[in-house]
């Protein structure tokens, strides 16, 4: 990537939206109420990203590890997602946003899969901003299935194992159509990746903030973009 990129906005922003549970706990409310409060910043940040000419916004909404949470919390999260899709799809459609679900989406409840498929289909022709929702997503599972696919294709004689390139591998990821992440934001105070986008984060700039996701607003997002634009990305060069 040329140095001239230094002051331009990030093309691909990924966000680990963390802290809903703590936000709710601090108010004596249930974790699910925290998730409900977390829907508002999704709307705000999507609009802000659009205005800032971000082309890809990828949001970590549910990890493969999150399946270990209580049945109640998981069910509430997915019904919230269905409500979000029902209420937002029309606006996504008119505002040029393409929505996609990425992850082991076959594991999602039927109603969630149906709502997702409908939103994906309706917005498939939009090209201004691609909003990817990482759902039942885990990088290790994703990398493993890509390796499995390649091995099966090699076994069938469809590909030559010694000629497999990075691009061939990337194409087999659930997130295959996404470019590299330029900026990763994690809210909620923890400084870790939690099995998110390991492949695409190889040269991402990392930005951590203590702000809990339900409190994360446009100003916080602009601060992160501003911080990114002040950084010098070297990509290994001297
Ligand atoms: C992030 O908030 C949302 C999901 C993981 C679904 P958390 O639910 O992890 O909130 P904390 O980290 O417990 O505060
Ligand atoms: C990461 O948050 C997953 C999502 C935001 C969907 P977690 O709360 O699950 O991550 P850990 O457990 O703190 O690493
Ligand atoms: Mg958390």
């Amino acid at each position: 990537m040329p140095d001239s990129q230094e002051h331009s906005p990030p093309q691909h922003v990924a966000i680990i939206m963390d802290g809903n549970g703590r936000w709710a706990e601090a108010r004596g409310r249930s974790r699910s109420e925290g998730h409900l409060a977390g829907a508002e910043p999704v709307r705000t940040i999507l609009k802000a990203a659009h205005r800032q000419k971000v082309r890809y916004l990828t949001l970590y909404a549910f990890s493969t590890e999150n399946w270990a949470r209580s049945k109640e919390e998981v069910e509430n999260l997915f019904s919230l997602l269905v409500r979000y899709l029902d209420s937002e799809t029309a606006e996504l459609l008119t505002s040029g946003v393409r929505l996609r679900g990425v992850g082991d989406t076959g594991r999602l409840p039927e109603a969630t899969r149906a709502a997702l498929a409908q939103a994906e289909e309706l917005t498939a022709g939009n090209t201004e901003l691609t909003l990817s929702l990482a759902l039942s997503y885990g990088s290790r599972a994703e990398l493993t299935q890509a390796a499995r696919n390649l091995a099966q294709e090699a076994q069938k004689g469809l590909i030559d194992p010694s000629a497999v390139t990075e691009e061939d591998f990337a194409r087999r990821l659930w997130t295959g159509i996404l470019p590299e992440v330029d900026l990763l934001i994690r809210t909620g105070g923890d400084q870790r990746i939690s099995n998110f986008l390991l492949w695409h984060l190889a040269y991402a700039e990392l930005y951590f903030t203590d702000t809990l996701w339900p409190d994360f607003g446009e100003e916080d997002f602009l601060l992160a973009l501003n911080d990114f634009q002040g950084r010098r990305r070297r990509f290994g060069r001297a």
Side-chain angles (χ1 to χ4, degrees):
M1 222 59 42
D3 279 351
S4 59
Q5 258 240 326
E6 208 174 303
H7 296 291
S8 52
Q11 181 190 200
H12 184 181
V13 177
I15 306 183
I16 301 177
M17 309 183 289
D18 198 23
N20 296 351
R22 279 162 285 165
W23 183 93
E25 202 176 303
R27 288 160 180 78
R29 304 208 219 151
S30 69
R31 296 184 61 81
S32 294
E33 287 176 277
H35 298 314
L36 181 63
E40 193 49 39
V42 171
R43 294 185 189 96
T44 312
I45 301 312
L46 173 63
K47 286 201 191 102
H50 205 165
R51 270 196 295 275
Q52 297 301 315
K53 310 260 184 288
V54 169
R55 300 293 312 279
Y56 295 86
L57 179 67
T58 303
L59 303 177
Y60 206 4
F62 192 84
S63 73
T64 44
E65 289 72 26
N66 291 150
W67 285 113
R69 296 192 180 191
S70 76
K71 192 164 175 271
E72 186 198 1
E73 182 175 351
V74 171
E75 282 178 359
N76 279 330
L77 260 167
F78 288 121
S79 68
L80 184 65
L81 177 66
V82 171
R83 269 185 282 152
Y84 172 83
L85 293 171
D86 284 349
S87 67
E88 299 301 307
T89 302
E91 180 156 355
L92 298 179
L93 188 59
T94 53
S95 59
V97 176
R98 177 184 182 188
L99 181 129
R100 295 180 68 246
V102 290
D104 190 1
T105 47
R107 278 182 82 179
L108 301 176
E110 178 55 38
T112 309
R113 268 186 291 154
L116 199 57
Q118 192 187 33
E120 285 179 342
E121 204 182 302
L122 279 169
T123 62
N126 283 348
T127 53
E128 274 183 46
L129 189 156
T130 297
L131 170 65
S132 303
L133 297 181
L135 294 165
S136 190
Y137 176 86
S139 262
R140 288 185 176 179
E142 178 185 41
L143 294 165
T144 305
Q145 68 79 38
R148 198 184 297 124
N149 286 351
L150 280 171
Q152 285 165 346
E153 289 168 43
Q155 198 174 35
K156 288 184 195 149
L158 298 171
I159 55 163
D160 170 5
S162 64
V164 171
T165 62
E166 290 187 5
E167 288 70 31
D168 293 331
F169 191 85
R171 260 202 308 279
R172 286 160 179 85
L173 297 170
W174 297 321
T175 46
I177 68 141
L178 297 178
E180 286 197 55
V181 172
D182 298 302
L183 171 64
L184 172 79
I185 299 171
R186 182 175 184 138
T187 63
D190 289 310
Q191 304 199 354
R192 56 175 171 259
I193 303 296
S194 302
N195 204 10
F196 192 39
L197 301 178
L198 297 179
W199 178 276
H200 293 82
L201 289 178
Y203 264 106
E205 296 297 323
L206 310 181
Y207 182 91
F208 299 102
T209 167
D210 288 339
T211 304
L212 303 172
W213 177 251
D215 292 328
F216 192 77
E218 176 158 8
E219 238 173 76
D220 302 285
F221 183 67
L222 295 180
L223 275 178
L225 292 196
N226 206 37
D227 187 281
F228 170 86
Q229 285 175 248
R231 295 188 192 187
R232 179 157 178 256
R233 303 179 80 191
R234 286 186 285 277
F235 298 97
R237 292 190 307 262

